[in-house]
Amino acid sequence: MDMLGKKLGNYQMKRLIGHGGFADVYLGEHIYLRTQAAIKVLYARVEQDQNSMQYFLTEAQTIARLAHPHIIRVLEFGIEQGTPYLVMEFAPHGTLRQHLPRQVPLSISMAIYYAKQVASALQYAHANHLIHRDVKPENFLLGAGYEVLLGDFGISSLAHSSKSLSTQEVAGTISYMAPEQIQGKPRQASDQYALGIVMYEWLTGRYPFTGSFMEIATQHMFTEPPPPRSLDPTIPPAVEEAVLIALSKKPEERFLSVEAFARALEQAALPSLSPGEIALLRQQPGSPEMRDFLYKTLNVATLMAVPTLQPGEVATMPPHMGAIQAPAALPSHIETIQAPITSPSHMGAIQAPTALSNLLMQQVVTEQRTSPPLSRRAFFSALAGFAVVMGAGALAFWEIGTHPGGANTTPTSGSPLTNRGTATTPAQTATADQTSTPAATPTPEPTRGAQVNQPVIFQQNTAVYSVAWNHNGSVVASSGDGPLIQIWNPLNAQSQGSISTGQAHIYSLSWSPDNVFLAAAYGDGTASVWDAAQSTLYSSLTGGHAKRINSIGWSPDGGYLVTGSGDNTVALWNASSGNLLNVYTGHTGYVNTAVWSPNGNLIASGGQDRTLHIWSPSSLQAQATGSGHTSDIISLAWSPDSQRIVTASQDGTAKVWDAQSGNLLLTYRGHHSFVVAVSWSQNGQKIVTGGGDHIHLPTDTSAQVWNPDNGQLLSSYGRHSNEIESIAWSPDSRKIASASDDTTVQIWPA
């Protein structure tokens, strides 16, 4: 049906800008406001084809509830004289396919620049339980600033878990279709596979598989793609490796999420990029600088695809572009930065081409030269996606890293805290702390709280140093002296299995946000990631620390791990490959604890230097510091909203800090000895602390629950006969797990 010149609702159809299998797309102009929009008009009339109408309406409803800077917006839906239409945001520069024709490779920096935007949009869709199912350059529209807008959600579907996949119609574009999608079982990882095909095409100028429909489908199912470097040897090996991981035949062997894939691409490419290319990746999509640069670059790329066009000639281009004249000389790729990149002070100036970007995770140059490429071992299964992980982000740090590690020596008493150094007495601590605390800081004297009884007790054979709930509260993991990680039911203390690590001491445990993996930190300065259900090793973290690792924790998106060590450093790791990414060296003493904020923006760490450091994992720059403890910080925890931090210290106090400024908000003095362990409830309403020490008297092995706003003691329990090493709230904030040198883990009602 030709709608050119006709009116639908308040829009007049100006020109046809695209057509598909069941609808045409027109450029429409609002008859009153003179604004432009893309009007998608269904071929069939309502009374003629109810199925198409429902299909069309489903797309409208799907897009309407998505609000993301890289997803096309739906503005209105209507029916005019039996003709359904959808009013959408107008992308004035067409699609990337129109600018980047087939067989025209992109530079690595440009390819990753676009892939990051697409991945961000897909991650958001996945978080809203949608699978796009048709990821390809034809569906990457370009907004006013040449930013990518993901469009055409017409065949998108609700996401299913790997345990409840339902067979759906085989829909999509065969060149980009994942094996499981060909079988009618798409999942979120299918979109990652499609983006992997797009990256392969952008880097090499070719599809990995060609032929008839059936030939391509068969190759997707059973044939490994030719390595990209076989087509272009200049592609960095680590970039090739990341692409091939995304193209794994099995969804569970791809990256944890599509955004993790984009991050891995960027990290793999950074060592090979010039300062100008790194500057490109750091530019905000849609900014005036990027708009001007991309205008030149994309139009030149389009002109280069016309082999007969000479400088000065005019080519006939797609309607959205009009006539474009070739420049007399093609512009250079990018020339925005000539100076060295600004790096953290401990690194000095980093020169290209070995410089790594501040954009994601700067890596020390000497480490960058020796770090291995990404491993093709089986990677994290693609489950809930980034935003689902962020939804559980406040639950991501149960281990709370409770152990210092001054010297890398084996404790003689069974406790990892026997090498803390000289301790102050409680009386000395109180005097010093009151002196250093501002007058406005409340220092309430706790009142006696209610005693809590009847714990569920899990008995181990050795001292227990770490306890961690998984993120739905169904199981608890614990570890300590000896090689075993125990996994058990918190309702009845029945064992659900164990993992034998081969290590003498396991000082910290942390569950991945998707509950699939357990990260464990060891006394020999290494760590590892285990498949909890299969008890199999997935990745090893080695070469980053010279002394034992006292704490380990996941980033909220599940892509990274942070470790704090007795060698005075905090290390950042790629969780899936085990590669060392960067090292924070701001502490002057051993680091006992390092924890990612629930929103993923910052890391807080503390240790022997008695100072809380709050710093950016991307720049390694300290955002704030907190001073006031008179002895070592042993552990810390973030509030679920990422606004406050609580620290536990062997000076006998716990302190609450403002996470933005580092200002001290409150000091809790309810314990009579070292405060070793701390956890913030997930509803934000309570803090629990525990500790005690069997060497320095008076001994206090109680766990105390108190209000973070005023320091009021709410309840306490004291069934442990030795020091509490680790403590953690259940995800529902109703129970507390405490691990002790007395060889037990106890679950208490809160």
Side-chain angles (χ1 to χ4, degrees), residues 28 74 88 124 176 190 195 203 215 240 270 300 311 317 341 387 432 453 460 500 505 527 566 589 648 676 689 708 711:
V74 63
M88 298 181 296
Y124 178 80
Y176 302 91
S190 307
L195 185 57
L203 293 175
E215 288 170 338
E240 175 187 74
L270 286 174
V300 166
M317 305 310 295
I341 294 174
N453 299 307
Q460 294 193 188
S500 181
H505 307 284
V676 177
T689 46

Side-chain angles (χ1 to χ4, degrees), residues 195-267:
L195 185 57
I197 297 287
V198 171
M199 278 299 300
Y200 190 106
E201 178 188 1
W202 281 346
L203 293 175
T204 68
R206 305 182 190 181
Y207 293 123
F209 306 123
T210 58
S212 66
F213 182 95
M214 289 304 300
E215 288 170 338
I216 296 174
T218 301
Q219 291 173 81
H220 279 303
M221 295 288 293
F222 305 112
T223 305
E224 293 298 325
R229 284 171 50 81
S230 68
L231 303 175
D232 183 355
T234 66
I235 297 171
V239 173
E240 175 187 74
E241 200 68 23
V243 172
L244 293 178
I245 290 168
L247 297 183
S248 298
K249 302 299 181 188
K250 297 180 179 179
E252 61 270 15
E253 293 183 356
R254 299 170 202 153
F255 289 93
L256 172 70
S257 67
V258 67
E259 200 160 61
F261 170 41
R263 282 197 308 269
L265 281 172
E266 183 175 35
Q267 189 65 33

Side-chain angles (χ1 to χ4, degrees), residues 131 158-168 180 184-188 190 251-252:
I131 307 166
L158 290 176
H160 298 268
S161 71
S162 59
K163 296 181 179 180
S164 61
L165 292 173
S166 64
T167 301
Q168 304 175 34
E180 68 276 7
K185 296 181 178 180
R187 60 180 78 180
Q188 293 169 356
S190 307
E252 61 270 15

Side-chain angles (χ1 to χ4, degrees), residues 369-387:
R369 291 171 180 158
T370 58
S371 62
L374 289 168
S375 168
R376 282 218 65 202
R377 62 171 59 91
F379 271 66
F380 295 84
S381 58
L383 295 174
F386 176 79

